[in-house]
Amino acid sequence: MRASILGGDFFPYMDNAFSNAPFWTGFYNHRAYFKCFERIIQRELRLVDLLSVTIGNYLNSDMEIARRNLALGIHHDAITGTSKRHVMDDYMLRSRSALHIVLKEQERLLSISNETFTTVFVNNSVKTKGMYLPRITFSFADGIKSYKIQIVNQKTFSTMELVKINVSSPFITVTQNDNLLTIQVVPLLKQSDLFELVYNDGSMETNFGLYFNRINDYGGAYTMVSAGLSFENITDKNRLSPIIIQGPVYSSITQQLSSQLAYSITIINSTDINAHSIQIDLFTNVTLSPGYTYFMNLNSNINSVDHFYTDVNGMYLIQRRYDKKMKLEANIYPMITETVVEDDKLRCTILGAQSTGVTAKLGLITLMVDREIYNDDGKGLDYYEASESHPSHLRYRIIFEPKNVRNE
């Protein structure tokens, strides 16, 4: 007699099939701003560790406080966004403290003076309630003619990325080792006197469909309850026309769809394989739209049928299956860093800068974006205790790649 072997995991978790809110899939995306903020701190902390090793300088003792505060933020009732308001406020306070300590340590390790980029970034970012972390503007007033900028790649391999810097004048040049670089100067939206500088090189083309919608969600902080309702497309008759940017470095399209959602799609103009991706920036503010979960949908011609993949804590991929007999919330799985759909010819990967929930069928990938829920789902938080979702800047990267076809 052979014992059965359990494979996979227990997602999506269901505690009671007869309850009003049985599927624990709402917390995948609840309080998206906090999930994003934790990733930012982890990224900056890793940079501090790399700088410490590279420079050969021990870290200050207060870095232990930053690590402890970050660890608290990864607690299973913190990163999930399933704590009461005053508890989440304390988590955010500790997280901001951790970010402040980490950025100040970066400044020390790089021997940057108090008048430069990092210090101003620290002073501004830790005061931000939501997830918009402002950048300093490099001003060329008062006789200042140039700045020396140090860029650190904390990855273990060479990569091609857009480097964006706010400047006060469009009439500038950028050099590296006395060589003139190709740059692109673009006016910043809603800022008549500021410009954004980006540099890179090359060209790339791709096609895909991207749209946004929302659904009435009667769940709570832990659960999602769609009640079998249909999606409502995000639209606003007063929405602004899209802003299209084309240049030697990158091309992008930006549009404010509604008061709750704006997006930007960016493509790096390069033939380098490291630049073969599409960058998606979402700006959400759902605080005045309670009772909804918002989604981003990517539609492709990939014949994935009912199968797709998500990562398990960023370590490996596991296959998921969309069950058309079950409700939407029963088909959503946790996406910690990525999701994949593929057929025998093409693969599409979506990488996320923050964790969320995802489902997919017939080449259509549907990601949870943000939600504002007041209800008590009977899992431990009363009505209105876990409702707030601050404005967020959520980032994704889409990669299309052909699969090798073996000739028989």
Side-chain angles (χ1 to χ4, degrees), residues 236-250:
D236 187 342
K237 63 181 180 180
N238 297 319
R239 68 183 181 184
L240 301 176
S241 299
I243 298 174
I244 300 174
I245 296 174
Q246 289 182 303
V249 178
Y250 78 98

Side-chain angles (χ1 to χ4, degrees), residues 131-194:
M131 278 314 311
Y132 296 114
L133 303 183
R135 297 197 301 255
I136 184 178
T137 296
F138 287 85
S139 174
F140 291 90
D142 301 325
I144 298 177
K145 296 183 178 180
S146 65
Y147 290 92
K148 184 177 180 180
I149 301 173
Q150 186 171 7
I151 299 172
V152 180
N153 175 23
Q154 57 178 294
K155 298 178 180 178
T156 57
F157 52 87
S158 298
T159 185
M160 180 172 290
E161 302 283 351
L162 293 177
V163 178
K164 299 184 178 182
I165 301 169
N166 289 0
V167 293
S168 62
S169 170
F171 306 107
I172 62 174
T173 58
V174 178
T175 60
Q176 181 179 14
N177 299 327
D178 297 326
N179 295 319
L180 197 63
L181 299 180
T182 300
I183 66 171
Q184 183 172 329
V185 180
V186 179
L188 281 176
L189 302 181
K190 299 181 181 180
Q191 296 283 352
S192 59
D193 58 343
L194 296 181

Side-chain angles (χ1 to χ4, degrees), residues 331-370:
N331 283 292
I332 297 179
Y333 292 85
M335 170 186 149
I336 308 304
T337 60
E338 67 176 301
T339 186
V340 177
V341 296
E342 64 178 6
D343 56 20
D344 58 349
K345 297 180 180 179
L346 186 65
R347 176 185 294 121
C348 175
T349 302
I350 299 183
L351 305 174
Q354 58 286 313
S355 59
T356 186
V358 64
T359 188
K361 61 178 179 178
L362 301 176
L364 173 64
I365 304 176
T366 300
L367 287 88
M368 301 173 75
V369 171
D370 210 341

Side-chain angles (χ1 to χ4, degrees), residues 68-236:
R68 289 180 176 179
N69 285 337
L70 175 61
L72 282 174
I74 308 176
H75 182 269
H76 64 255
D77 276 328
I79 193 64
T80 55
T82 53
S83 293
K84 295 183 178 182
R85 277 176 174 257
H86 70 278
V87 179
M88 288 303 300
D89 287 342
D90 184 64
Y91 282 135
M92 280 298 294
L93 180 64
R94 293 175 182 273
S95 296
R96 291 194 188 96
S97 172
L99 180 61
H100 181 92
I101 293 172
V102 168
L103 293 179
K104 292 294 288 185
E105 185 66 0
Q106 288 181 12
E107 176 187 335
R108 186 186 71 83
L109 292 173
L110 291 172
S111 300
I112 300 177
S113 66
N114 290 333
E115 288 76 32
T116 55
F117 173 75
T118 305
T119 300
V120 178
F121 182 78
V122 168
N123 292 339
N124 287 337
S125 65
V126 295
K127 297 178 181 178
T128 304
K129 179 67 174 176
M131 278 314 311
Y132 296 114
L133 303 183
R135 297 197 301 255
I136 184 178
T137 296
F138 287 85
S139 174
F140 291 90
D142 301 325
I144 298 177
K145 296 183 178 180
S146 65
Y147 290 92
K148 184 177 180 180
I149 301 173
Q150 186 171 7
I151 299 172
V152 180
N153 175 23
Q154 57 178 294
K155 298 178 180 178
T156 57
F157 52 87
S158 298
T159 185
M160 180 172 290
E161 302 283 351
L162 293 177
V163 178
K164 299 184 178 182
I165 301 169
N166 289 0
V167 293
S168 62
S169 170
F171 306 107
I172 62 174
T173 58
V174 178
T175 60
Q176 181 179 14
N177 299 327
D178 297 326
N179 295 319
L180 197 63
L181 299 180
T182 300
I183 66 171
Q184 183 172 329
V185 180
V186 179
L188 281 176
L189 302 181
K190 299 181 181 180
Q191 296 283 352
S192 59
D193 58 343
L194 296 181
F195 299 86
E196 181 180 72
L197 176 151
V198 186
Y199 65 85
N200 220 307
D201 60 346
S203 63
M204 186 186 77
E205 295 182 2
T206 190
N207 295 310
F208 64 94
L210 191 72
Y211 63 95
F212 303 88
N213 50 27
R214 67 181 187 178
I215 196 169
N216 283 105
D217 190 343
Y218 298 98
Y222 295 89
T223 63
M224 177 182 175
V225 180
S226 64
L229 300 176
S230 59
F231 284 99
E232 173 188 341
N233 289 333
I234 303 298
T235 182
D236 187 342

